[in-house]
């Protein structure tokens, strides 16, 4: 039986020499790979008490939405600045070169709600940390962060030390 990592295409020296790019689109392009990836992420939520799933733009939508549907939970969009039509809360965070802003609707999380954050990849952890700050600014509690892939060499898990972090696949390098 194949594992999720069997569907991930690894591309050496992209985007620069010494980096191995882990391509999630190869998982999405295979029906068995996609189903397995969603099932494995969903397994990371078994026995967890939570109210809402949130996903970060855009691959967090791809993996989080079907899990929300399967578990009959609401799904919250965490988007880039300027993409949501109603009143929002936002947070700016640092990228490797510069900064970015993400937002969510102000009414998307109610005080006391337990929230799971889902994304395809944890690298440095900056985006998901910013998403957690948004949830917390609205009075929600982040009870778990789940990723399909983790690049352990970039130390995102260390940055998120105060959170319950899990991943399906963990690559040791960058």
């Amino acid at each position: 039986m194949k594992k999720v990592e069997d569907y991930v295409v690894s591309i050496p020296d992209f985007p620069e020499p010494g980096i191995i790019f882990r391509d999630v689109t190869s998982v999405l392009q295979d029906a068995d790979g996609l189903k397995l990836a969603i099932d494995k992420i969903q397994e990371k939520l078994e026995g967890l008490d939570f109210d809402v799933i949130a996903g970060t733009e855009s691959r967090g939508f791809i993996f989080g939405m079907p899990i929300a549907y399967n578990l009959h939970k609401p799904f919250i969009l965490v988007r880039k600045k300027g993409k949501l039509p109603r009143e929002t809360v936002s947070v700016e965070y640092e990228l490797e070169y510069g900064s970015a802003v993400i937002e969510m609707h102000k009414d998307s999380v109610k005080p006391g709600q337990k929230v799971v954050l889902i994304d395809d990849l944890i690298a440095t952890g900056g985006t998901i940390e910013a998403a957690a700050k948004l949830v917390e600014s609205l009075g929600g509690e982040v009870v778990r962060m789940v990723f399909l892939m983790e690049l352990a060499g970039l130390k995102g898990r260390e940055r998120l030390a105060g959170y319950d972090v899990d991943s399906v696949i963990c690559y040791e390098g960058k």
Side-chain angles (χ1 to χ4, degrees):
M1 182 171 172
K2 286 178 102 171
K3 298 182 290 186
V4 178
E5 46 265 56
D6 296 332
Y7 294 95
V8 177
V9 173
S10 297
I11 302 152
D13 299 321
F14 183 84
E16 59 188 56
I19 301 294
I20 300 174
F21 185 84
R22 310 296 181 172
D23 187 10
V24 73
T25 63
S26 56
V27 176
L28 303 175
Q29 289 173 234
D30 187 289
D32 293 333
L34 177 59
K35 181 176 184 341
L36 185 59
I38 290 169
D39 290 348
K40 291 295 182 186
I41 293 171
Q42 187 170 314
E43 284 175 16
K44 301 287 185 183
L45 302 178
E46 288 178 2
L48 183 67
D49 177 32
F50 68 97
D51 305 301
V52 177
I53 293 176
T56 52
E57 186 168 353
S58 66
R59 290 174 301 264
F61 301 174
I62 293 169
F63 293 106
M65 185 60 213
I67 294 168
Y69 176 84
N70 289 344
L71 299 178
H72 195 70
K73 301 284 186 180
F75 185 78
I76 296 169
L77 303 174
V78 180
R79 301 227 40 203
K80 295 173 185 164
K81 183 179 172 87
K83 301 290 185 180
L84 293 170
R86 300 191 320 268
E87 188 177 0
T88 61
V89 291
S90 63
V91 65
E92 183 174 354
Y93 64 102
E94 296 304 313
L95 299 169
E96 189 174 354
Y97 302 105
S99 63
V101 177
I102 56 172
E103 299 179 321
M104 62 191 334
H105 282 129
K106 192 173 185 177
D107 64 354
S108 58
V109 175
K110 313 293 184 275
Q113 282 189 314
K114 296 175 182 175
V115 181
V116 168
L117 294 172
I118 294 180
D119 206 352
D120 70 320
L121 177 72
I122 177 176
T124 65
T127 302
I128 207 75
E129 179 184 46
K133 288 178 182 176
L134 284 176
V135 168
E136 292 162 354
S137 75
L138 294 173
E141 176 190 359
V142 176
V143 294
R144 187 162 296 158
M145 298 171 169
V146 183
F147 305 91
L148 180 63
M149 297 183 289
E150 177 177 354
L151 303 178
L154 294 174
K155 303 187 186 315
R157 189 179 286 261
E158 291 175 22
R159 182 179 192 159
L160 303 170
Y163 296 99
D164 180 356
V165 176
D166 206 348
S167 60
V168 174
I169 305 167
C170 183
Y171 295 105
E172 292 306 315
K174 298 178 181 181

